[in-house]
């Protein structure tokens, strides 16, 4: 499906790769799409489908919350390969399918859900997933491990459509809650209808401007309190160190002269130090040992080990550490 969509896009539109969009502004009734290199597009309509929208319209980071899942892939004996895609009803849940053909088959499996940035849960659920595929399918040595992030909406349904009532030409699609193939397809159809001025029966259901305090109010309060607790508590818990050098291959957040620094010690012996303060709203990032990234537990921004933006809502890299 994705190959088919990509081919259609390439036939009908230009594709810009290797450039990160950092801002969308408005000028003369048109949307100006700006990348790290500067303005590149001047258009009527913009669809922001960046998992968590990078635009401030709608304050979606207060209404959809970052969750993560461990994932792995490893060779599987064709005789033990399941036919189809499955999701379990157990807790923690697992979903799995097989990729490849003939004797070159890989089991691709997803583990339980945890809050982005909760490092102990990340490692615990990854180990549990490895034990599951080994026990059930004989996949004893997974070759690939990674973390998948998604966003859980406050009332259980994605936010799709116009980002706010003030601008009729900026659209968003977020809060797919790990059901991206189906929700992404529905979102594309809905937004296409809105841009073309057609009625869509799902528009009200997925309305991106909706607020449902009865259905989602409890989660809204709980998750935003969780972000506030990280904002304050992580600063109080951060250990002090004059010369932070984690073990080789590891990362940690420490305070140096009162400033929280994110420090990663790579395999060559080089120590990478950047500010641990997320450039989105100022929370402290946490080390993701599986992907070797810095993940924000408040709103889900992710950064490479040397501070470059991997996922929004942040659009600015982590600041360089003072020398």
């Amino acid at each position: 499906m994705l190959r088919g969509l990509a081919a259609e896009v390439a036939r009908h539109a230009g594709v810009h790769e290797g450039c990160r969009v950092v801002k969308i502004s408005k000028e003369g009734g048109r949307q100006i799409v700006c990348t790290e290199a500067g303005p590149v597009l001047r258009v009527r309509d913009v669809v922001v489908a960046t998992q968590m929208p990078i635009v401030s319209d709608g304050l979606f980071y207060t209404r959809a919350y970052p969750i993560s899942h461990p994932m792995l892939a490893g060779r599987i004996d064709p005789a033990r390969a399941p036919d189809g895609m499955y999701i379990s009803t157990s807790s923690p849940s697992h979903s799995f399918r097989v990729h490849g053909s003939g004797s070159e088959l890989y089991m691709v499996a997803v583990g339980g859900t945890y809050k982005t940035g909760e490092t102990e849960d990340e490692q615990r659920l990854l180990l549990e997933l490895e034990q599951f595929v080994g026990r059930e399918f004989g996949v004893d040595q997974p070759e690939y491990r990674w973390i998948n992030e998604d966003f859980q909406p406050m009332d259980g349904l994605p936010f799709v459509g116009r980002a706010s009532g003030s601008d009729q030409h900026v659209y968003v699609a977020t809060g797919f809650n790990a059901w991206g193939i189906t929700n992404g397809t529905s979102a594309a159809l809905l937004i296409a209808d809105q841009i073309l001025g057609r009625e869509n029966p799902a528009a009200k259901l997925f309305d991106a401007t909706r607020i449902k305090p009865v259905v989602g109010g409890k989660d809204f309060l709980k998750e935003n309190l969780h972000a506030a607790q990280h904002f304050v508590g992580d600063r109080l818990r951060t250990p002090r160190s004059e010369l932070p050098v984690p073990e080789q291959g590891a990362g940690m957040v420490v305070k140096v002269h009162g400033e929280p620094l994110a420090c990663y010690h790579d395999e060559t012996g080089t120590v990478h130090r950047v500010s641990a303060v997320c450039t989105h709203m100022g929370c402290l990032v946490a080390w993701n040992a599986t992907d070797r990234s810095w993940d924000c537990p408040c709103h889900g921004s992710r950064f490479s080990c040397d501070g470059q933006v991997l996922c929004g809502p942040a659009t600015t890299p982590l600041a360089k550490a003072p020398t």
Side-chain angles (χ1 to χ4, degrees):
M1 184 182 78
L2 292 177
R3 288 193 183 98
L5 287 173
E8 284 298 306
V9 169
R11 273 197 289 270
H12 299 288
V15 178
H16 298 264
E17 295 183 293
C19 54
R20 179 177 295 278
V21 174
V22 296
K23 183 181 178 182
I24 298 170
S25 58
K26 192 170 184 178
E27 182 181 296
R30 308 292 279 182
Q31 307 297 332
I32 310 300
V33 179
C34 301
T35 70
E36 294 166 319
V40 294
L41 292 174
R42 185 182 179 92
V43 296
R44 190 190 74 164
D45 298 289
V46 172
V47 179
V48 184
T50 53
Q51 281 208 326
M52 178 52 62
I54 61 170
V55 293
S56 59
D57 309 56
L59 299 177
F60 292 100
Y61 60 85
T62 68
R63 298 191 283 141
Y65 320 115
I67 56 173
S68 292
H69 308 81
M71 297 188 66
L72 58 77
R75 294 177 188 270
I76 185 172
D77 182 345
R80 300 189 65 173
D83 182 16
M85 181 183 294
Y86 299 86
I87 184 168
S88 72
T89 58
S90 60
S91 181
S93 66
H94 307 99
S95 63
F96 48 88
R97 63 181 177 85
V98 171
H99 173 74
S101 60
S103 60
E104 289 291 311
L105 295 181
Y106 282 82
M107 162 68 71
V108 181
V110 185
T113 302
Y114 69 95
K115 291 182 181 295
T116 298
E118 302 289 349
T119 54
E120 291 183 3
D121 288 341
E122 170 208 330
Q123 292 301 301
R124 176 179 60 82
L125 288 170
L126 179 60
L127 176 61
E128 192 278 333
L129 180 61
E130 291 176 350
Q131 293 171 340
F132 169 78
V133 297
R135 180 178 66 250
E136 301 296 333
F137 301 103
V139 181
D140 296 321
Q141 295 182 324
E143 297 171 53
Y144 305 96
R145 298 169 178 82
W146 69 99
I147 301 299
N148 176 69
E149 184 181 49
D150 212 321
F151 290 84
Q152 180 177 334
M154 60 182 285
D155 60 4
L157 288 174
F159 295 104
V160 179
R162 293 181 176 89
S164 70
S166 60
D167 193 327
Q168 298 296 298
H169 298 286
V170 176
Y171 301 82
V172 297
T174 188
F176 291 170
N177 200 18
W179 293 93
I181 293 178
T182 50
N183 283 329
T185 301
S186 298
L189 294 171
L190 195 162
I191 291 174
D193 282 344
Q194 290 184 327
I195 290 174
L196 296 172
R198 300 188 300 227
E199 293 292 324
N200 187 299
K204 185 176 181 180
L205 185 66
F206 294 114
D207 180 10
T209 65
R210 73 184 186 276
I211 298 289
K212 294 185 175 180
V214 175
V215 178
K218 182 179 178 181
D219 280 348
F220 176 85
L221 293 173
K222 182 181 74 173
E223 296 297 338
N224 283 286
L225 178 61
H226 171 78
Q229 289 171 334
H230 268 290
F231 184 89
V232 176
D234 288 351
R235 283 169 165 78
L236 298 176
R237 288 188 292 268
T238 300
R240 298 179 182 276
S241 174
E242 292 305 314
L243 188 62
V245 180
E247 294 181 5
Q248 207 159 10
M252 63 187 298
V253 174
V254 295
K255 277 185 182 176
V256 178
H257 305 305
E259 296 296 323
L261 297 184
C263 307
Y264 166 59
H265 191 180
D266 70 23
E267 284 76 5
T268 68
T270 302
V271 178
H272 304 259
R273 296 187 180 95
V274 292
S275 171
V277 179
C278 179
T279 54
H280 174 234
M281 293 292 287
C283 291
L284 297 191
V285 295
W287 178 243
N288 174 338
T290 305
D291 287 343
R292 299 188 180 185
S293 63
W294 297 106
D295 300 354
C296 178
C298 292
H299 305 118
S301 297
R302 299 184 65 194
F303 305 85
S304 67
C305 61
D306 58 358
Q308 298 303 306
V309 177
L310 298 175
C311 303
T315 58
T316 305
L318 297 175
K320 297 296 183 183
T323 55

